[in-house]
Amino acid sequence: MSTLGNKLKQLRREKRWTLAEVAEKLGLRGHSTYSNWEYDRTQPDAEMIAKLSKVYSVSTDFLLGRTEDPNHNLSEDAKTIIDILNLTDEEISEQIDLVVDGEKLTQEELLRFIAYVRTERQLRGLK
């Protein structure tokens, strides 16, 4: 999976902009902050992610790695699910109720489900 830094570098090169040009478009004082983002040394805050998406005309979901389609915005439900999956297993089980065949999964069943999904992803080489 491509990092935010790699995406920023690729987008900047596609536009044929210099680091200084991007920094100016974002209202940064110098280009070192932006350079640190491209090298994944630091991460921009939420406000700057929004500015980056406007400057590059891509979705914030693309920049955040939620989708590989630069112009696709995920639904709020999909974003919530992705955010939840970045939590620990215990945090997930506390925050969501998953129902199968009309019956809520127990915490143990939910943890097994999460483990199954992660194993499937590893087998497919997604993580």
Side-chain angles (χ1 to χ4, degrees), residues 1-4 7 10-11 58-74 82 126:
M1 182 189 275
S2 184
T3 66
L4 174 61
K7 288 178 183 177
Q10 177 186 349
L11 291 166
V58 296
S59 72
T60 57
D61 290 329
F62 172 74
L63 292 175
L64 295 171
R66 292 175 165 161
T67 178
E68 289 301 312
D69 180 354
N71 300 309
H72 184 316
N73 287 301
L74 298 176
I82 290 169
L126 295 177

PDB file of all heavy atoms in Angstrom, residues 1-4 7 10-11 58-74 82 126:
ATOM      1  N   MET A   1       0.846  -1.179   0.000  1.00  0.00           N
ATOM      2  CA  MET A   1       0.000   0.000   0.000  1.00  0.00           C
ATOM      3  C   MET A   1       0.893   1.245   0.000  1.00  0.00           C
ATOM      4  O   MET A   1       1.888   1.304   0.686  1.00  0.00           O
ATOM      5  CB  MET A   1      -0.914  -0.015   1.219  1.00  0.00           C
ATOM      6  CG  MET A   1      -1.840   1.176   1.230  1.00  0.00           C
ATOM      7  SD  MET A   1      -2.749   1.354   2.760  1.00  0.00           S
ATOM      8  CE  MET A   1      -4.111   0.283   2.447  1.00  0.00           C
ATOM      9  N   SER A   2       0.504   2.200  -0.746  1.00  0.00           N
ATOM     10  CA  SER A   2       1.266   3.434  -0.866  1.00  0.00           C
ATOM     11  C   SER A   2       1.064   4.322   0.361  1.00  0.00           C
ATOM     12  O   SER A   2      -0.050   4.495   0.842  1.00  0.00           O
ATOM     13  CB  SER A   2       0.808   4.170  -2.124  1.00  0.00           C
ATOM     14  OG  SER A   2       1.572   5.319  -2.319  1.00  0.00           O
ATOM     15  N   THR A   3       2.145   4.884   0.852  1.00  0.00           N
ATOM     16  CA  THR A   3       2.048   5.779   2.010  1.00  0.00           C
ATOM     17  C   THR A   3       1.557   7.151   1.560  1.00  0.00           C
ATOM     18  O   THR A   3       1.595   7.483   0.376  1.00  0.00           O
ATOM     19  CB  THR A   3       3.409   5.944   2.695  1.00  0.00           C
ATOM     20  OG1 THR A   3       4.294   6.634   1.798  1.00  0.00           O
ATOM     21  CG2 THR A   3       4.000   4.595   3.099  1.00  0.00           C
ATOM     22  N   LEU A   4       1.154   7.951   2.526  1.00  0.00           N
ATOM     23  CA  LEU A   4       0.749   9.321   2.225  1.00  0.00           C
ATOM     24  C   LEU A   4       1.902  10.056   1.552  1.00  0.00           C
ATOM     25  O   LEU A   4       1.713  10.757   0.554  1.00  0.00           O
ATOM     26  CB  LEU A   4       0.306  10.049   3.488  1.00  0.00           C
ATOM     27  CG  LEU A   4       0.005  11.541   3.321  1.00  0.00           C
ATOM     28  CD1 LEU A   4      -1.129  11.774   2.332  1.00  0.00           C
ATOM     29  CD2 LEU A   4      -0.319  12.168   4.662  1.00  0.00           C
ATOM     30  N   LYS A   7       2.237   9.133  -2.044  1.00  0.00           N
ATOM     31  CA  LYS A   7       1.151   9.722  -2.835  1.00  0.00           C
ATOM     32  C   LYS A   7       1.411  11.199  -3.091  1.00  0.00           C
ATOM     33  O   LYS A   7       1.231  11.686  -4.210  1.00  0.00           O
ATOM     34  CB  LYS A   7      -0.191   9.532  -2.131  1.00  0.00           C
ATOM     35  CG  LYS A   7      -0.678   8.113  -2.151  1.00  0.00           C
ATOM     36  CD  LYS A   7      -1.970   7.967  -1.398  1.00  0.00           C
ATOM     37  CE  LYS A   7      -2.368   6.502  -1.393  1.00  0.00           C
ATOM     38  NZ  LYS A   7      -3.567   6.237  -0.641  1.00  0.00           N
ATOM     39  N   GLN A  10       4.163  11.574  -5.672  1.00  0.00           N
ATOM     40  CA  GLN A  10       3.667  11.238  -7.005  1.00  0.00           C
ATOM     41  C   GLN A  10       2.770  12.346  -7.562  1.00  0.00           C
ATOM     42  O   GLN A  10       2.918  12.749  -8.722  1.00  0.00           O
ATOM     43  CB  GLN A  10       2.900   9.921  -6.954  1.00  0.00           C
ATOM     44  CG  GLN A  10       2.292   9.527  -8.286  1.00  0.00           C
ATOM     45  CD  GLN A  10       1.414   8.291  -8.169  1.00  0.00           C
ATOM     46  OE1 GLN A  10       1.404   7.594  -7.156  1.00  0.00           O
ATOM     47  NE2 GLN A  10       0.660   8.024  -9.214  1.00  0.00           N
ATOM     48  N   LEU A  11       1.860  12.842  -6.736  1.00  0.00           N
ATOM     49  CA  LEU A  11       0.960  13.902  -7.187  1.00  0.00           C
ATOM     50  C   LEU A  11       1.727  15.169  -7.556  1.00  0.00           C
ATOM     51  O   LEU A  11       1.435  15.807  -8.575  1.00  0.00           O
ATOM     52  CB  LEU A  11      -0.078  14.216  -6.101  1.00  0.00           C
ATOM     53  CG  LEU A  11      -1.117  13.129  -5.841  1.00  0.00           C
ATOM     54  CD1 LEU A  11      -1.859  13.390  -4.539  1.00  0.00           C
ATOM     55  CD2 LEU A  11      -2.095  13.028  -7.013  1.00  0.00           C
ATOM     56  N   VAL A  58      -7.867  15.770  -5.423  1.00  0.00           N
ATOM     57  CA  VAL A  58      -8.121  14.366  -5.108  1.00  0.00           C
ATOM     58  C   VAL A  58      -8.943  14.328  -3.823  1.00  0.00           C
ATOM     59  O   VAL A  58      -9.019  15.312  -3.100  1.00  0.00           O
ATOM     60  CB  VAL A  58      -6.815  13.552  -4.925  1.00  0.00           C
ATOM     61  CG1 VAL A  58      -6.014  13.509  -6.224  1.00  0.00           C
ATOM     62  CG2 VAL A  58      -5.972  14.094  -3.779  1.00  0.00           C
ATOM     63  N   SER A  59      -9.526  13.186  -3.547  1.00  0.00           N
ATOM     64  CA  SER A  59     -10.325  13.065  -2.327  1.00  0.00           C
ATOM     65  C   SER A  59      -9.422  12.883  -1.110  1.00  0.00           C
ATOM     66  O   SER A  59      -8.306  12.379  -1.218  1.00  0.00           O
ATOM     67  CB  SER A  59     -11.287  11.878  -2.435  1.00  0.00           C
ATOM     68  OG  SER A  59     -10.588  10.658  -2.348  1.00  0.00           O
ATOM     69  N   THR A  60      -9.927  13.303   0.028  1.00  0.00           N
ATOM     70  CA  THR A  60      -9.191  13.062   1.270  1.00  0.00           C
ATOM     71  C   THR A  60      -9.117  11.569   1.541  1.00  0.00           C
ATOM     72  O   THR A  60      -8.133  11.090   2.110  1.00  0.00           O
ATOM     73  CB  THR A  60      -9.846  13.783   2.464  1.00  0.00           C
ATOM     74  OG1 THR A  60     -11.204  13.368   2.579  1.00  0.00           O
ATOM     75  CG2 THR A  60      -9.770  15.288   2.313  1.00  0.00           C
ATOM     76  N   ASP A  61     -10.127  10.827   1.129  1.00  0.00           N
ATOM     77  CA  ASP A  61     -10.102   9.373   1.312  1.00  0.00           C
ATOM     78  C   ASP A  61      -8.915   8.756   0.579  1.00  0.00           C
ATOM     79  O   ASP A  61      -8.284   7.830   1.080  1.00  0.00           O
ATOM     80  CB  ASP A  61     -11.407   8.743   0.828  1.00  0.00           C
ATOM     81  CG  ASP A  61     -12.581   9.077   1.723  1.00  0.00           C
ATOM     82  OD1 ASP A  61     -12.364   9.257   2.934  1.00  0.00           O
ATOM     83  OD2 ASP A  61     -13.710   9.161   1.219  1.00  0.00           O
ATOM     84  N   PHE A  62      -8.601   9.258  -0.597  1.00  0.00           N
ATOM     85  CA  PHE A  62      -7.438   8.772  -1.346  1.00  0.00           C
ATOM     86  C   PHE A  62      -6.157   9.077  -0.579  1.00  0.00           C
ATOM     87  O   PHE A  62      -5.300   8.208  -0.412  1.00  0.00           O
ATOM     88  CB  PHE A  62      -7.397   9.418  -2.740  1.00  0.00           C
ATOM     89  CG  PHE A  62      -6.142   9.117  -3.498  1.00  0.00           C
ATOM     90  CD1 PHE A  62      -5.928   7.873  -4.053  1.00  0.00           C
ATOM     91  CD2 PHE A  62      -5.162  10.092  -3.649  1.00  0.00           C
ATOM     92  CE1 PHE A  62      -4.755   7.589  -4.749  1.00  0.00           C
ATOM     93  CE2 PHE A  62      -3.997   9.829  -4.345  1.00  0.00           C
ATOM     94  CZ  PHE A  62      -3.790   8.564  -4.900  1.00  0.00           C
ATOM     95  N   LEU A  63      -6.018  10.308  -0.108  1.00  0.00           N
ATOM     96  CA  LEU A  63      -4.807  10.687   0.622  1.00  0.00           C
ATOM     97  C   LEU A  63      -4.632   9.859   1.890  1.00  0.00           C
ATOM     98  O   LEU A  63      -3.508   9.504   2.253  1.00  0.00           O
ATOM     99  CB  LEU A  63      -4.830  12.170   0.975  1.00  0.00           C
ATOM    100  CG  LEU A  63      -4.729  13.144  -0.194  1.00  0.00           C
ATOM    101  CD1 LEU A  63      -4.883  14.578   0.300  1.00  0.00           C
ATOM    102  CD2 LEU A  63      -3.424  12.954  -0.948  1.00  0.00           C
ATOM    103  N   LEU A  64      -5.730   9.537   2.551  1.00  0.00           N
ATOM    104  CA  LEU A  64      -5.679   8.793   3.809  1.00  0.00           C
ATOM    105  C   LEU A  64      -5.590   7.283   3.611  1.00  0.00           C
ATOM    106  O   LEU A  64      -5.530   6.533   4.576  1.00  0.00           O
ATOM    107  CB  LEU A  64      -6.896   9.136   4.668  1.00  0.00           C
ATOM    108  CG  LEU A  64      -6.958  10.587   5.135  1.00  0.00           C
ATOM    109  CD1 LEU A  64      -8.302  10.886   5.790  1.00  0.00           C
ATOM    110  CD2 LEU A  64      -5.814  10.901   6.079  1.00  0.00           C
ATOM    111  N   GLY A  65      -5.585   6.838   2.365  1.00  0.00           N
ATOM    112  CA  GLY A  65      -5.444   5.415   2.091  1.00  0.00           C
ATOM    113  C   GLY A  65      -6.716   4.611   2.238  1.00  0.00           C
ATOM    114  O   GLY A  65      -6.684   3.394   2.309  1.00  0.00           O
ATOM    115  N   ARG A  66      -7.851   5.297   2.262  1.00  0.00           N
ATOM    116  CA  ARG A  66      -9.130   4.601   2.399  1.00  0.00           C
ATOM    117  C   ARG A  66      -9.628   4.063   1.067  1.00  0.00           C
ATOM    118  O   ARG A  66     -10.480   3.187   1.028  1.00  0.00           O
ATOM    119  CB  ARG A  66     -10.170   5.533   2.998  1.00  0.00           C
ATOM    120  CG  ARG A  66      -9.883   5.901   4.437  1.00  0.00           C
ATOM    121  CD  ARG A  66     -10.875   6.925   4.925  1.00  0.00           C
ATOM    122  NE  ARG A  66     -10.840   7.031   6.371  1.00  0.00           N
ATOM    123  CZ  ARG A  66     -11.315   8.061   7.033  1.00  0.00           C
ATOM    124  NH1 ARG A  66     -11.867   9.069   6.387  1.00  0.00           N
ATOM    125  NH2 ARG A  66     -11.255   8.096   8.346  1.00  0.00           N
ATOM    126  N   THR A  67      -9.129   4.622  -0.030  1.00  0.00           N
ATOM    127  CA  THR A  67      -9.478   4.164  -1.369  1.00  0.00           C
ATOM    128  C   THR A  67      -8.279   4.416  -2.279  1.00  0.00           C
ATOM    129  O   THR A  67      -7.474   5.309  -2.018  1.00  0.00           O
ATOM    130  CB  THR A  67     -10.725   4.894  -1.914  1.00  0.00           C
ATOM    131  OG1 THR A  67     -11.005   4.439  -3.241  1.00  0.00           O
ATOM    132  CG2 THR A  67     -10.539   6.392  -1.955  1.00  0.00           C
ATOM    133  N   GLU A  68      -8.170   3.611  -3.326  1.00  0.00           N
ATOM    134  CA  GLU A  68      -7.090   3.808  -4.289  1.00  0.00           C
ATOM    135  C   GLU A  68      -7.537   4.694  -5.461  1.00  0.00           C
ATOM    136  O   GLU A  68      -6.741   5.039  -6.316  1.00  0.00           O
ATOM    137  CB  GLU A  68      -6.580   2.458  -4.809  1.00  0.00           C
ATOM    138  CG  GLU A  68      -5.811   1.673  -3.765  1.00  0.00           C
ATOM    139  CD  GLU A  68      -4.590   2.417  -3.232  1.00  0.00           C
ATOM    140  OE1 GLU A  68      -3.804   2.945  -4.032  1.00  0.00           O
ATOM    141  OE2 GLU A  68      -4.439   2.477  -1.993  1.00  0.00           O
ATOM    142  N   ASP A  69      -8.814   5.048  -5.481  1.00  0.00           N
ATOM    143  CA  ASP A  69      -9.356   5.919  -6.522  1.00  0.00           C
ATOM    144  C   ASP A  69      -9.234   7.371  -6.056  1.00  0.00           C
ATOM    145  O   ASP A  69      -9.891   7.761  -5.089  1.00  0.00           O
ATOM    146  CB  ASP A  69     -10.819   5.565  -6.781  1.00  0.00           C
ATOM    147  CG  ASP A  69     -11.477   6.413  -7.854  1.00  0.00           C
ATOM    148  OD1 ASP A  69     -10.846   7.381  -8.344  1.00  0.00           O
ATOM    149  OD2 ASP A  69     -12.629   6.116  -8.210  1.00  0.00           O
ATOM    150  N   PRO A  70      -8.402   8.172  -6.723  1.00  0.00           N
ATOM    151  CA  PRO A  70      -8.180   9.555  -6.278  1.00  0.00           C
ATOM    152  C   PRO A  70      -9.431  10.427  -6.220  1.00  0.00           C
ATOM    153  O   PRO A  70      -9.469  11.405  -5.496  1.00  0.00           O
ATOM    154  CB  PRO A  70      -7.202  10.123  -7.307  1.00  0.00           C
ATOM    155  CG  PRO A  70      -6.655   8.972  -8.033  1.00  0.00           C
ATOM    156  CD  PRO A  70      -7.631   7.848  -7.901  1.00  0.00           C
ATOM    157  N   ASN A  71     -10.459  10.060  -6.966  1.00  0.00           N
ATOM    158  CA  ASN A  71     -11.654  10.889  -7.026  1.00  0.00           C
ATOM    159  C   ASN A  71     -12.843  10.300  -6.284  1.00  0.00           C
ATOM    160  O   ASN A  71     -13.939  10.825  -6.361  1.00  0.00           O
ATOM    161  CB  ASN A  71     -12.039  11.138  -8.490  1.00  0.00           C
ATOM    162  CG  ASN A  71     -10.923  11.835  -9.219  1.00  0.00           C
ATOM    163  OD1 ASN A  71     -10.416  12.845  -8.758  1.00  0.00           O
ATOM    164  ND2 ASN A  71     -10.503  11.274 -10.332  1.00  0.00           N
ATOM    165  N   HIS A  72     -12.629   9.214  -5.583  1.00  0.00           N
ATOM    166  CA  HIS A  72     -13.721   8.524  -4.903  1.00  0.00           C
ATOM    167  C   HIS A  72     -13.778   8.928  -3.436  1.00  0.00           C
ATOM    168  O   HIS A  72     -12.792   8.897  -2.725  1.00  0.00           O
ATOM    169  CB  HIS A  72     -13.514   7.017  -4.996  1.00  0.00           C
ATOM    170  CG  HIS A  72     -14.623   6.209  -4.420  1.00  0.00           C
ATOM    171  ND1 HIS A  72     -15.227   6.486  -3.243  1.00  0.00           N
ATOM    172  CD2 HIS A  72     -15.250   5.106  -4.864  1.00  0.00           C
ATOM    173  CE1 HIS A  72     -16.159   5.603  -2.982  1.00  0.00           C
ATOM    174  NE2 HIS A  72     -16.192   4.753  -3.939  1.00  0.00           N
ATOM    175  N   ASN A  73     -14.955   9.317  -3.005  1.00  0.00           N
ATOM    176  CA  ASN A  73     -15.201   9.601  -1.597  1.00  0.00           C
ATOM    177  C   ASN A  73     -16.051   8.480  -1.025  1.00  0.00           C
ATOM    178  O   ASN A  73     -17.077   8.125  -1.594  1.00  0.00           O
ATOM    179  CB  ASN A  73     -15.936  10.936  -1.411  1.00  0.00           C
ATOM    180  CG  ASN A  73     -15.023  12.107  -1.671  1.00  0.00           C
ATOM    181  OD1 ASN A  73     -14.005  12.250  -1.020  1.00  0.00           O
ATOM    182  ND2 ASN A  73     -15.388  12.923  -2.643  1.00  0.00           N
ATOM    183  N   LEU A  74     -15.635   7.932   0.084  1.00  0.00           N
ATOM    184  CA  LEU A  74     -16.377   6.866   0.727  1.00  0.00           C
ATOM    185  C   LEU A  74     -17.561   7.429   1.500  1.00  0.00           C
ATOM    186  O   LEU A  74     -17.551   8.573   1.934  1.00  0.00           O
ATOM    187  CB  LEU A  74     -15.471   6.103   1.695  1.00  0.00           C
ATOM    188  CG  LEU A  74     -14.268   5.407   1.071  1.00  0.00           C
ATOM    189  CD1 LEU A  74     -13.423   4.784   2.165  1.00  0.00           C
ATOM    190  CD2 LEU A  74     -14.702   4.352   0.073  1.00  0.00           C
ATOM    191  N   ILE A  82     -13.864   1.666   8.571  1.00  0.00           N
ATOM    192  CA  ILE A  82     -12.409   1.663   8.392  1.00  0.00           C
ATOM    193  C   ILE A  82     -11.726   2.212   9.631  1.00  0.00           C
ATOM    194  O   ILE A  82     -10.732   1.656  10.105  1.00  0.00           O
ATOM    195  CB  ILE A  82     -12.013   2.444   7.131  1.00  0.00           C
ATOM    196  CG1 ILE A  82     -12.444   1.659   5.887  1.00  0.00           C
ATOM    197  CG2 ILE A  82     -10.508   2.724   7.105  1.00  0.00           C
ATOM    198  CD1 ILE A  82     -12.343   2.426   4.607  1.00  0.00           C
ATOM    199  N   LEU A 126      -2.623  -8.251   1.239  1.00  0.00           N
ATOM    200  CA  LEU A 126      -3.112  -6.886   1.361  1.00  0.00           C
ATOM    201  C   LEU A 126      -2.520  -6.157   2.550  1.00  0.00           C
ATOM    202  O   LEU A 126      -2.590  -4.959   2.636  1.00  0.00           O
ATOM    203  CB  LEU A 126      -4.643  -6.875   1.479  1.00  0.00           C
ATOM    204  CG  LEU A 126      -5.393  -7.366   0.259  1.00  0.00           C
ATOM    205  CD1 LEU A 126      -6.880  -7.373   0.530  1.00  0.00           C
ATOM    206  CD2 LEU A 126      -5.071  -6.532  -0.956  1.00  0.00           C
TER     207      LEU A 126
END
